[in-house]
Amino acid sequence: MSSPPHVIALHGGAGVTPGRDYREATDYMRDLAARLSAQLAAGVSAVDCVEIAVLEMEASGLFVAGRGSAPNADGLVEMDASIMDGARHKAGAVCAIRDAASPIAAARRVMEATPHVLLAGQGASDFARQQGLEQIIDPARFFRMPVGITAADIEAETKALAHGTVGAAALDLTGALAAATSTGGVFGKRPGRVGDTPLPGAGVWADDDVAVSCTGVGEYFILTSAAYDVSARLRYRGGSLESACQGMIDSVGRLGGDGGVIAVNRAGQVAFVFNSPGLKRAVAGSSFEPWSGT
Ligand code: ASP
């Protein structure tokens, strides 16, 4: 008897400038997806898998999340992250957190160790410290410029392009689905601004049918309940995973927003849909050779 399907899909953000070389980031993502697929095949759960995926992408500094996060208008970094376990219908998230080295680790602890879903600002930072999670001691040494974003982008106020996010969606051997998303937000954002990334239903969603992670200009993804919209379209309208994702991105586009989505369903199918100039993305699984692209 063949074993049940497993798959991991990753994104490294929709903030892609045509013509730039993102190979360092996409090669990294392909190798990461391959490693995580092997872990899923060995029985690692979907929720552990998406946490590891996002934690590693945050730590790489190649993306606008974790070490590659974007400073706000006051020059301070505020990060957002969320994780959702479809099988248990549980989520954890942090927003505007400043000194946790891994926002996704803090989000996972919120899900596992509190009765809450979302902790913000200083309360989130204090919680992460109490949980013994790694702190950022020296921001000047910790943060770095992500791949494909230059100081000139930020100076020239092409801020719509100077953003990115990382995300993962996975199906494990038990049929459980999970998703996680983490971001440093948008360069030059107003202090205290929080986007879609830490909001279940907007930047992340997982249930028994589908796991979703979004990236793009967060305000539009909040205004369309984007991640949950993919699930709702599948449940109430039917059709393919791809068409549900396309319908959601079309709604974002009608408001004037751009970005992308990755989604995995219970059958092990994967969709990557975006209306931005690109989407750094990767996949590996029982039916997918490791692949990445923009
Ligand atoms: N969605 C993120 C935010 O608005 C940014 C991104 O995905 O690039 O904070």
Short mmCIF file of all heavy atoms in Angstrom, two decimals, residues 163-165 183 185-186 193 195-197 215-218, ligand 1:
data_model
loop_
_atom_site.label_atom_id
_atom_site.label_comp_id
_atom_site.label_asym_id
_atom_site.label_seq_id
_atom_site.Cartn_x
_atom_site.Cartn_y
_atom_site.Cartn_z
N HIS A 163 9.09 45.17 0.46
CA HIS A 163 8.45 44.39 1.50
C HIS A 163 8.55 42.92 1.12
O HIS A 163 8.99 42.57 0.04
CB HIS A 163 6.98 44.80 1.69
CG HIS A 163 6.10 44.48 0.54
ND1 HIS A 163 5.40 43.30 0.45
CD2 HIS A 163 5.81 45.18 -0.59
CE1 HIS A 163 4.70 43.30 -0.68
NE2 HIS A 163 4.94 44.41 -1.32
N GLY A 164 8.16 42.08 2.03
CA GLY A 164 8.23 40.64 1.77
C GLY A 164 7.80 39.96 3.03
O GLY A 164 7.64 40.59 4.06
N THR A 165 7.60 38.70 2.93
CA THR A 165 7.07 37.94 4.05
C THR A 165 7.49 36.51 3.78
O THR A 165 7.77 36.17 2.63
CB THR A 165 5.53 38.07 4.07
OG1 THR A 165 5.19 39.38 4.49
CG2 THR A 165 4.84 37.08 4.97
N THR A 183 6.54 38.15 9.12
CA THR A 183 6.98 39.30 8.33
C THR A 183 7.66 40.36 9.18
O THR A 183 7.37 40.48 10.38
CB THR A 183 5.77 39.96 7.61
OG1 THR A 183 6.26 40.89 6.64
CG2 THR A 183 4.84 40.69 8.56
N GLY A 185 7.25 43.23 7.81
CA GLY A 185 6.34 44.28 7.35
C GLY A 185 6.87 45.03 6.14
O GLY A 185 7.58 44.49 5.31
N VAL A 186 6.50 46.28 6.07
CA VAL A 186 6.79 47.11 4.91
C VAL A 186 7.79 48.17 5.36
O VAL A 186 7.60 48.77 6.42
CB VAL A 186 5.48 47.77 4.42
CG1 VAL A 186 5.72 48.63 3.20
CG2 VAL A 186 4.44 46.69 4.13
N ARG A 193 1.98 50.03 13.09
CA ARG A 193 1.18 49.46 11.98
C ARG A 193 1.31 47.92 12.00
O ARG A 193 2.40 47.37 12.09
CB ARG A 193 1.69 50.02 10.65
CG ARG A 193 0.97 49.46 9.41
CD ARG A 193 1.67 48.26 8.83
NE ARG A 193 1.08 47.79 7.58
CZ ARG A 193 1.43 46.69 6.96
NH1 ARG A 193 2.35 45.90 7.47
NH2 ARG A 193 0.85 46.34 5.84
N GLY A 195 -0.01 44.48 9.82
CA GLY A 195 -0.64 44.05 8.57
C GLY A 195 -1.46 42.78 8.75
O GLY A 195 -1.97 42.49 9.84
N ASP A 196 -1.59 42.03 7.68
CA ASP A 196 -2.42 40.82 7.68
C ASP A 196 -1.74 39.62 8.32
O ASP A 196 -2.40 38.67 8.76
CB ASP A 196 -2.79 40.45 6.24
CG ASP A 196 -1.54 40.19 5.39
OD1 ASP A 196 -0.58 40.99 5.48
OD2 ASP A 196 -1.52 39.20 4.64
N THR A 197 -0.40 39.65 8.32
CA THR A 197 0.38 38.45 8.65
C THR A 197 0.00 37.78 9.97
O THR A 197 -0.11 36.56 10.04
CB THR A 197 1.88 38.80 8.62
OG1 THR A 197 2.18 39.28 7.31
CG2 THR A 197 2.76 37.61 8.94
N THR A 215 0.86 36.79 1.22
CA THR A 215 1.85 37.87 1.23
C THR A 215 1.39 38.96 0.29
O THR A 215 0.75 38.68 -0.72
CB THR A 215 3.23 37.36 0.82
OG1 THR A 215 4.12 38.48 0.69
CG2 THR A 215 3.22 36.61 -0.50
N GLY A 216 1.71 40.19 0.63
CA GLY A 216 1.32 41.31 -0.22
C GLY A 216 1.06 42.51 0.66
O GLY A 216 1.41 42.51 1.85
N VAL A 217 0.45 43.52 0.10
CA VAL A 217 0.18 44.73 0.87
C VAL A 217 -0.96 44.39 1.84
O VAL A 217 -2.12 44.21 1.46
CB VAL A 217 -0.17 45.90 -0.05
CG1 VAL A 217 -0.39 47.17 0.77
CG2 VAL A 217 0.95 46.11 -1.06
N GLY A 218 -0.59 44.25 3.13
CA GLY A 218 -1.44 43.59 4.11
C GLY A 218 -2.81 44.20 4.29
O GLY A 218 -3.78 43.48 4.57
N1 ASP B 1 1.73 41.23 4.19
C1 ASP B 1 2.87 41.88 4.79
C2 ASP B 1 2.39 43.11 5.52
O1 ASP B 1 1.54 43.82 5.01
C3 ASP B 1 3.92 42.29 3.82
C4 ASP B 1 4.27 41.30 2.77
O2 ASP B 1 3.68 40.24 2.66
O3 ASP B 1 5.17 41.57 2.01
O4 ASP B 1 2.90 43.39 6.58
#
